[in-house]
Amino acid sequence: MQDQATEVTAAGIARLAGVGRAAVSNWRRRHADFPKPVGGTETSPSFALAEVEGWLRKQGKLAEVPLRERVWQQLAGHPEGPLTALVHAGCALLLIHERSTVWLAASAGSDERLARLLPGALAQVLTPRLGAVAGVLMPGVGPPDDVNTSDDSQATDRGSTAPAVNTAPTTPDVNVPDTADTSDTSDTSDSSGTPDAPPPLLPSVPLLRGAAELAAEVGARQAFEFLLGRHLDANPRQYTLTPAELAALMADLAGPARTALDPACGTGALLRAVDTRPEQWLHAQDSAPDLAALTALRLALHSRAGVRAAAGDALRADAFPELRADVVLCHPPFNERNWGHDELAYDPRWEYGFPARTESELAWVQHALARLTDGGTAVLLMPPAAASRRSGRRIRADLLRRGALRAVLALPVGAAPPYNIPLHIWVLRRPERNPAAPEVLLMDTGRFAGEGRGGPDWAAVREAVLDAWRAFARAGRLAERPGLARSVPVIELLDDDVDLAPARHLPPPAVADGAEQLAAVRERLGETLRLTTDLTPPAADPAPPVRWPLTTVGELARAGALVMRTGGTGGHARLPVLTDTDVLAATAPSGTLPESDEDAVLTEPGDVVVPVLGGGSVARVIEEATAGAALGRNLVLLRPDPTALDAWFLAGFLRGTANNRQASSYASTATRLDVRRLQLPRLPLAEQRRYGARFHALDEFERALRHASRLGDHLVRGMYDGLTDGTVAPD
C-alpha cells in the first residue's frame, strides 16, 4: 500500500525520473493531468508521491521507482518531518535486526493492525537495548512490567549509576513471546481510551514497510546508514559532521575502550569508530534530542554494545556525572559564548582553572578529563585558536604542568568543517599517581593537504600521526622529524604565551629539501617547457564557417549512443573520488564520499566527465590512470558507444564556449549546466576521429602548460623559502 500522505518536491520528482527540474516544470505546464500540489508553497509545491509515481509510469517516463528512492522519498516527505521519520525507521530496523520474527508477525496484516502492535513489539527490543529512552524514541513504547530498568541494575564496571537509558549489553529476553498477537481486532482506541482514534504510528507504517524491504535486500544496519546518509547529504547546513576518516583516526589515538563517552555526539560518528569489545558500554549525549536518538539507534544497530544516550547540554546538565570512562571522544561546538560561564563558576570540573567566557573549548577539555578514569585518554577536535589565545594560557599551562596534555596534532586544511582552517587534535590523559611525562608531542600534518576541495591525503595523515604517536607513547619522547613532529619539554612551553601551535615549535624541513630539491624542480620545469614547445598547436589555416546538422546529448542518450550517469552516491568501500575540482584542474582523484550501500559510479577509460556547476566549458576524457575512481558530486559522466561516438570528439565539442552558454541556466549565485542540452554535430565516425585526434593533442598541450605552471610556482616558492631560511645561498 503506497502512502498517499507522503509528499515529494519538484526536485524529488526530477531525481525519480532522472531529469532536470526544468523538465518537471515543463510537464506541469504541458500536461493537464499532471498531479496537483498537495502541500508546500506556491514557489516550492509538494506532490503526493503515489500520484507522481503513477503519472510517471503512465507517461512511460518511469518503469519502476527504485526501492531505495521510494523509501527515501517516503522519509523525506513524512508528514511529521524527516527527523521523526528517520527515528521511526531506525526503531523498526532495530526490531528487524534483533527480533525479525516479531516484526514478521506484527506486519502480517493491515497497516492499522501493524500500527497498533508496533509499540508492544518495539518494547521487546528498545527497552532492553536502550532502556528509558525507548519511550522518547517511539510513542507508546515503555518498559514492560517485568523488565528491571532501575539504576541499581545498570551500574557500570566503574561503579557509576548513570541515568537509566539502557540496560547491560547482555540483558535477559523480555517476557513477551517472539510472535506478536496476530488477531486483527477492530479496537482502534488510543492509549487514553478515545474511541476510533488512529494509532499514532499509522502515518509511518508505509515508510516502515519500505524500510523492511530495503533491509531484506541490504541488511537493517546498512538500510539505516543509507537513510541517515541521505538525510545528512540533503541538509548539509544543519549538521556539523565529523568525517569518517577523522573519526577513525581519533578513535585509534584513544585506543581500545570498554567504556567510552562522547558528550557532544552529533550523529554518533566518533563512537561508531570505536573498536568493538566484549561487554562494551557506549555513552552519548547531545543537546539536540533528535541527534541523541539517532546516535542511540545507530550505535545499537552497529554493535552489541550497551548504549546509554541522553539529550541535554553536557556542560550545563551532565547526564553521566558519576561516569569514569576509559575513553572520551569529542568534537565540541566551537566559539560558543553562551556555554554556561555565569552559572558554572564553582563547578568541580574546573580542576585546571575556570575557563574564560571565550574559552568554551577549554571547558569541554576539562569536562572530558573529569569523566575519565585514572589513566584514561581523551581525544578532542579543537580549533587552532585554542592553542594560542591569551585568555586560555593559564589553563594550558596547568594542563602541561600536571601532565594532562600529551599531544597537539595540527591537521591539514580541509580535514573537517570549517574546511578553511587547519584544525587541531588534542590528546589528553587523566594523570595517575606516576610522575607526569616531561614532554609533549607537537605535530603538523599540513604537508598532506589535498588540492582544491578534495580533502587531505588521509592515508598519509593516518600513517604519519599514528606512527609518531605510538613511538612517543612508548618512549615518552620522539626524535625530531623535521617539518613534521617533535616532542618538546614542557619547560620550554611554559612562557608568557604558552603557545602550543605545532608549526611554531617544529624544526624546518631538512636541508635536503632545499637547494638539492629545487635543482630537481628546475630540471623538471625545463623538460616540461621543452615538451610544451613541441606540443604547441600548428598555425591554424583559415576556413569558412561550417553548418553541420546538430544533435544533443539528450537525444544521443535516448538513442543509446551514450549512457548518462550522475555522481556523488557513495559506495560500499572507500575509493578515490574524482571531484569537480579535479576535473577543472586536471589532477588525480582527491575526494571522498560517505561509505554507503549504494553502488558508486566508477569511471572507465573513454568516459567523458563534465562538471555541472560554475559555468566553465570543461570536459575530461578518462584515461587508464584515472579509471576506477568513483564519480563525485556535481559531475555528469557520459559513456559513449565506441561504435557510434569518438570520446575525444565528444569531449572537444562539449567544450565549445557558445555550446556551454546556450546550455546553462543561472541562479542567484551560481551557473548550472544542463548537459542534455549540449550540442555536437552529426558526423561519420571516421570524421569524428579526425577531430578527436586534434582535440586529444590540444588536451596534451593544456596538461603540459598546467604542469609547467605548477612546477614554476613550486620553484618560485622554494627559492623564496630557501633564501629566507638559509638553505639556499644568494649566489
Side-chain angles (χ1 to χ4, degrees), residues 90 163 241 303 376 510:
L241 303 180
S303 73

Side-chain angles (χ1 to χ4, degrees), residues 220-492:
R221 179 186 306 161
Q222 291 80 3
F224 184 73
E225 288 293 327
F226 161 72
L227 294 173
L228 176 61
R230 283 288 292 270
H231 175 70
L232 298 177
D233 285 345
N235 301 276
R237 297 184 179 180
Q238 295 183 22
Y239 306 99
T240 300
L241 303 180
T242 308
E245 298 89 348
L246 176 57
L249 176 61
M250 293 174 66
D252 284 344
L253 286 167
R258 206 155 70 91
T259 56
L261 165 70
D262 185 347
C265 63
T267 58
L270 289 173
L271 289 177
R272 187 173 180 268
V274 174
D275 285 340
T276 302
R277 296 173 67 84
E279 298 187 6
Q280 189 175 51
W281 292 86
L282 301 176
H283 301 74
Q285 183 170 356
D286 198 274
S287 58
D290 290 327
L291 293 183
L294 289 177
T295 294
L297 291 168
R298 191 180 193 189
L299 296 177
L301 280 163
H302 178 67
S303 73
R304 291 299 305 168
V307 178
R308 292 187 171 183
D313 182 347
L315 294 182
R316 287 190 174 93
D318 184 11
F320 309 105
E322 305 300 325
L323 177 66
R324 295 296 177 265
D326 300 319
V327 161
V328 174
L329 298 169
C330 187
H331 178 174
F334 296 162
N335 303 317
E336 290 267 322
R337 294 298 183 100
N338 185 27
W339 58 267
H341 176 270
D342 295 337
E343 59 263 46
L344 298 174
Y346 300 102
D347 196 287
R349 288 173 291 183
W350 315 141
E351 296 181 45
Y352 302 88
F354 181 42
R357 190 182 301 276
T358 56
E359 295 290 349
S360 62
E361 296 87 5
L362 293 182
W364 285 101
V365 164
Q366 295 192 75
H367 173 77
L369 285 167
R371 293 296 156 263
L372 286 174
T373 186
D374 290 345
T377 302
V379 181
L380 287 86
L381 188 66
M382 300 284 281
S388 56
R389 281 190 297 241
R390 288 190 61 81
S391 55
R393 66 189 187 278
R394 292 188 177 181
I395 294 177
R396 292 195 300 270
D398 208 32
L399 289 169
L400 291 172
R401 289 192 193 97
R402 297 172 59 180
L405 182 59
R406 302 304 314 282
V408 177
L409 315 171
L411 295 169
V413 171
Y419 291 106
N420 60 331
I421 59 174
L423 299 177
H424 290 178
I425 292 176
W426 285 25
V427 183
L428 305 107
R429 280 191 180 155
R430 185 168 181 84
E432 299 181 88
R433 295 181 180 180
N434 298 330
E439 298 193 4
V440 174
L441 175 64
L442 300 181
M443 187 170 188
D444 187 348
T445 61
R447 65 172 66 176
F448 303 118
E451 295 186 11
R453 293 173 291 170
D457 182 348
W458 278 111
V461 171
R462 179 183 179 83
E463 181 181 4
V465 167
L466 294 180
D467 180 62
W469 167 248
R470 287 165 181 166
F472 173 76
R474 284 193 304 268
R477 60 178 56 208
L478 182 74
E480 285 189 358
R481 301 182 181 184
L484 181 64
R486 66 176 287 217
S487 58
V488 183
V490 166
I491 193 66
E492 289 187 18

